Amino acid sequence: MDLNSSKFWFRIAMLVALSLELTTFGAMTKTVNANSNSYGIPQESEADSTAIRPFQVHIPELELTDLHRRILATRWPDKETVSDQTQGTQLATMKNLAHYWANDYDWRKFEAKLNALPMFVTNIDGEEIHFIHVRSKHEDAMPIILMHGWPGSIVEKLKVIDPLTNPTAYGGKASDAFDVVIPSMPGYGFSGKPTTTGWGPDRIARAYGELMNRLGYKKYVAQGGDWGAIIADVMGVQQPSGLIGIHTNLPFVVPSDLDMALQAGKGCPPGLTSEEKRACEQLDFFYKHAAYALMMGTRPQTLTGLADSPVGLAAFMLDHDAKSLELITKAFNGQPGGLSQDDVLDNITLYWLTNTPISSARLYWENKYPFFGIKGVKLPVAVSVFPDELYEAPKSWTQKAYPNLIYFNKLDKGGHFAAWEQPVLFVNELRNAFRLLR
């Protein structure tokens, strides 16, 4: 080979350039991988730890393949020895769910739906908080933070985003518009998983107040159901800067003496009105059937099997309350009501793919509040009572628990996951409830 030829030196130059390009690309790839979490989203550096960063979901195909394999490999228990749900989630329901999950459910469809929304993460009090943030096109839209619970997630709030932010397209007025913020609780979904104790309702409430301030909102309202309702109450007690009122679809209004009597198994006391007696009987039933809450509240780490079996996780999540289980059972028996099969599996699959069964359960262990007890909220409060909730709060109790009650309404349908099951009714409730605070 002629070392003096122009062709030789041209080839050498090309090889050097290619080598430099590959080296640079390799360095860039290492940087991205070193600063990414399992969903491929850049992590924050110390300099921008309070920055609000865009977020998208990209679950590796291998994880979906593994999920499918585990569903098909389920080791089934014997059939229940009763003909109803008194022993828990029924075998037939779980087999129907597993068949649909393995053969018809499409996570990628839901993933694309999530990625079409403006999602973000930010670090608050040392923990990554994931949230959806959709601003209305209408001026003077009221900012609202919607807060989920267990076994819910951001999934249960998705149906109400468009009607709240774009009311004129859904029978409302421009003056009904909201800016919507939907965070994932720490330990849930795409938020960080606390590695130390202390992330109970008080700390989450403070983090949510900080989130709304960080987004630039000087005046906003809060709404919650389940744990989100407890956090809304706690925010109402803390009164973070800018919070002017709350709405709850699970009000905490139960007199302490009655609450303690029920938990001690003493039943309902005499002297109650018919409405109060019905609420008391519903609470008594719930306390006797809330095995999931007792387990998570005392021994969450023992529930390791929920992180190992997707069908086991699904059975546990479905058995939250009798009415919700009945509704979901119908959906997997070909009788969809407020929830579809995809609705249910979007939520369960989110828990599975983020491996949050145990981290979410720890909130029950962290909680120091009585579930239904009065918290002492002094801010304006709006209450919507759905008939298939854990209990139907009587107005008499509600007025005593919330001295600044600005709105109270009892609806004729809907249950524990009100925004998910009855989005139209839920949206109308928020519009009516907060008009007085605009």
Side-chain angles (χ1 to χ4, degrees):
M1 181 178 291
D2 183 0
L3 298 182
N4 293 317
S5 71
S6 59
K7 286 184 178 181
F8 172 80
W9 289 110
F10 175 76
R11 288 174 180 170
I12 291 296
M14 290 296 292
L15 286 171
V16 170
L18 179 60
S19 176
L20 286 171
E21 184 176 346
L22 289 173
T23 301
T24 303
F25 177 78
M28 289 173 62
T29 302
K30 289 178 183 177
T31 301
V32 171
N33 290 338
N35 293 288
S36 299
N37 59 25
S38 59
Y39 311 108
I41 308 302
Q43 299 282 345
E44 85 285 351
S45 64
E46 283 189 24
D48 64 355
S49 62
T50 61
I52 295 172
R53 291 159 282 127
F55 182 95
Q56 286 211 318
V57 184
H58 301 288
I59 299 297
E61 191 63 32
L62 284 175
E63 293 192 29
L64 299 180
T65 301
D66 178 65
L67 169 59
H68 185 260
R69 176 188 65 79
R70 287 172 183 263
I71 296 170
L72 294 178
T74 299
R75 184 185 184 192
W76 294 102
D78 298 330
K79 185 182 182 297
E80 61 276 3
T81 57
V82 293
S83 59
D84 54 24
Q85 297 176 350
T86 54
Q87 292 183 355
T89 314
Q90 293 172 289
L91 181 63
T93 299
M94 294 314 304
K95 286 194 170 183
N96 289 341
L97 181 149
H99 181 271
Y100 186 85
W101 205 358
N103 296 285
D104 300 298
Y105 177 71
D106 183 1
W107 166 263
R108 294 300 185 200
K109 179 181 177 181
F110 180 63
E111 186 177 81
K113 182 178 181 179
L114 285 178
N115 287 334
L117 294 168
M119 295 192 295
F120 306 89
V121 288
T122 189
N123 191 290
I124 300 177
D125 196 10
E127 201 59 69
E128 290 284 273
I129 304 297
H130 162 266
F131 62 98
I132 297 167
H133 184 202
V134 183
R135 294 184 185 272
S136 174
K137 66 181 180 180
H138 297 291
E139 293 184 8
D140 300 322
M142 173 177 276
I144 185 170
I145 181 168
L146 302 177
M147 301 173 290
H148 70 81
W150 187 96
S153 66
I154 57 170
V155 174
E156 64 179 282
K157 308 296 185 182
L158 299 183
K159 295 177 184 177
V160 302
I161 294 175
D162 281 347
L164 288 175
T165 57
N166 188 20
T168 55
Y170 293 87
K173 302 175 182 178
S175 57
D176 291 324
F178 291 86
D179 283 351
V180 173
V181 178
I182 308 173
S184 298
M185 285 196 295
Y188 288 68
F190 302 113
S191 282
K193 302 175 187 177
T195 56
T196 59
T197 60
W199 275 97
D202 288 293
R203 193 168 177 182
I204 296 173
R206 286 192 295 270
Y208 285 176
E210 169 62 24
L211 174 61
M212 295 303 282
N213 290 160
R214 192 172 292 182
L215 291 173
Y217 291 125
K218 305 300 183 185
K219 188 175 84 167
Y220 67 94
V221 293
Q223 193 288 326
D226 197 89
W227 281 113
I230 289 183
I231 295 167
D233 265 28
V234 174
M235 290 179 75
V237 173
Q238 293 176 352
Q239 299 188 28
S241 174
L243 180 65
I244 60 172
I246 68 171
H247 173 275
T248 176
N249 53 282
L250 180 55
F252 300 109
V253 301
V254 181
S256 59
D257 55 343
L258 185 147
D259 196 33
M260 288 188 289
L262 290 177
Q263 293 190 57
K266 296 180 180 179
C268 296
L272 300 176
T273 67
S274 59
E275 187 182 41
E276 292 169 348
K277 185 178 179 181
R278 172 170 171 75
C280 183
E281 290 171 346
Q282 291 171 321
L283 286 165
D284 190 37
F285 177 86
F286 176 75
Y287 276 133
K288 291 175 180 176
H289 295 83
Y292 72 90
L294 178 62
M295 191 66 188
M296 291 193 290
T298 56
R299 311 290 287 177
Q301 199 66 28
T302 300
L303 296 167
T304 299
L306 303 184
D308 185 61
S309 168
V311 172
L313 172 64
F316 190 77
M317 292 176 67
L318 261 55
D319 197 14
H320 175 271
D321 66 276
K323 292 292 186 179
S324 296
L325 178 57
E326 182 181 337
L327 181 70
I328 293 169
T329 297
K330 288 181 179 179
F332 285 98
N333 285 336
Q335 303 169 337
L339 298 178
S340 69
Q341 295 176 95
D342 281 351
D343 285 336
V344 176
L345 286 174
D346 288 342
N347 188 53
I348 296 172
T349 308
L350 176 62
Y351 272 77
W352 176 262
L353 293 175
T354 55
N355 193 17
T356 50
I358 305 302
S359 59
S360 61
R362 291 195 189 107
L363 180 55
Y364 284 79
W365 186 90
E366 293 281 359
N367 178 54
K368 302 300 184 290
Y369 288 100
F371 279 115
F372 303 108
I374 298 167
K375 308 297 186 295
V377 182
K378 299 296 191 295
L379 287 179
V381 177
V383 171
S384 298
V385 179
F386 289 85
D388 291 334
E389 183 53 274
L390 304 183
Y391 80 110
E392 293 178 81
K395 190 170 185 179
S396 58
W397 293 356
T398 306
Q399 289 172 322
K400 292 177 183 177
Y402 300 121
N404 199 353
L405 184 68
I406 61 170
Y407 179 85
F408 181 90
N409 188 37
K410 299 188 75 170
L411 295 101
D412 58 3
K413 61 180 176 179
H416 187 68
F417 303 99
W420 207 15
E421 299 170 27
Q422 301 294 335
V424 174
L425 293 180
F426 183 84
V427 168
N428 285 336
E429 285 299 287
L430 294 191
R431 290 175 182 171
N432 294 333
F434 287 126
R435 282 198 180 110
L436 292 175
L437 297 181
R438 288 184 181 272

